[in-house]
Amino acid sequence: MKAPGCPLCDGPGGTLVFTSDKFRVIRCDEPGIAAFYRVVWSEHVPEFSQLPADDRRLCMDAVVCVEECLRQHLAPDKINLAALGNAVPHLHWHVIARFRWDSYFPGSVWSAAQRNASPQQLAEVVSKLTELELDLCARLSARSGNCSSM
């Protein structure tokens, strides 16, 4: 079920990396953050607790899969996970690779920037995203789904 006017119902919400009947994974373009992903539930559901138990497991398995790929391919200093939904009350998880040099570290990506991220360091991480996303897509597809064309 879709909700009129919901940006995550009306469009992908970022660059589509993976899609299945239940959820999709998108890459978000956020200044100063090289690897910012969202796992977006397909059905318009505001709260995680509204999903049946099997769907909660599936959703969290997808979040963990994204986190594992970020850790393996990028070796970040930290992974941030968040499911706020205050601005967009459609169930989605933020999975963000954080580096000590990123614009906001150690604060949240929604806090004031503390520095300009190095274009060279950003480019180095971005250069690894295609391989990361192919791996992520293969892992999620093995659990049944469809990899988007990248």
Side-chain angles (χ1 to χ4, degrees):
M1 177 176 279
K2 305 284 184 193
C6 172
L8 294 179
C9 288
D10 293 343
T15 302
L16 189 61
V17 174
F18 175 85
T19 186
S20 73
D21 292 342
K22 297 281 189 169
F23 67 91
R24 66 185 175 273
V25 177
I26 59 172
R27 180 176 13 92
C28 307
D29 182 23
E30 296 289 334
I33 302 294
F36 188 130
Y37 291 83
R38 288 188 189 110
V39 175
V40 181
W41 199 250
S42 296
E43 184 180 352
H44 186 85
V45 176
E47 306 301 341
F48 188 63
S49 62
Q50 292 175 290
L51 295 179
D54 286 346
D55 284 347
R56 287 194 304 266
R57 281 189 288 279
L58 177 65
C59 185
M60 287 313 298
D61 284 349
V63 170
V64 168
C65 189
V66 175
E67 178 180 324
E68 288 172 341
C69 284
L70 290 173
R71 290 179 60 225
Q72 179 181 348
H73 289 271
L74 305 179
D77 294 302
K78 184 71 177 92
I79 298 288
N80 288 173
L81 300 176
L84 307 172
N86 295 339
V88 180
H90 180 126
L91 181 61
H92 63 285
W93 284 86
H94 304 264
V95 187
I96 310 161
R98 301 298 308 279
F99 300 90
R100 293 187 191 285
W101 50 260
D102 77 38
S103 294
Y104 305 92
F105 197 90
S108 80
V109 296
W110 299 285
S111 60
Q114 298 188 21
R115 69 193 65 78
N116 289 324
S118 158
Q120 181 180 1
Q121 288 171 308
L122 284 169
E124 183 180 327
V125 172
V126 168
S127 75
K128 298 175 182 178
L129 296 184
T130 298
E131 184 178 334
L132 179 155
E133 291 172 4
L134 288 170
D135 184 26
L136 174 63
C137 201
R139 292 181 193 199
L140 292 172
S141 291
R143 297 177 170 112
S144 98
N146 304 306
C147 188
S148 71
S149 55
M150 297 189 303

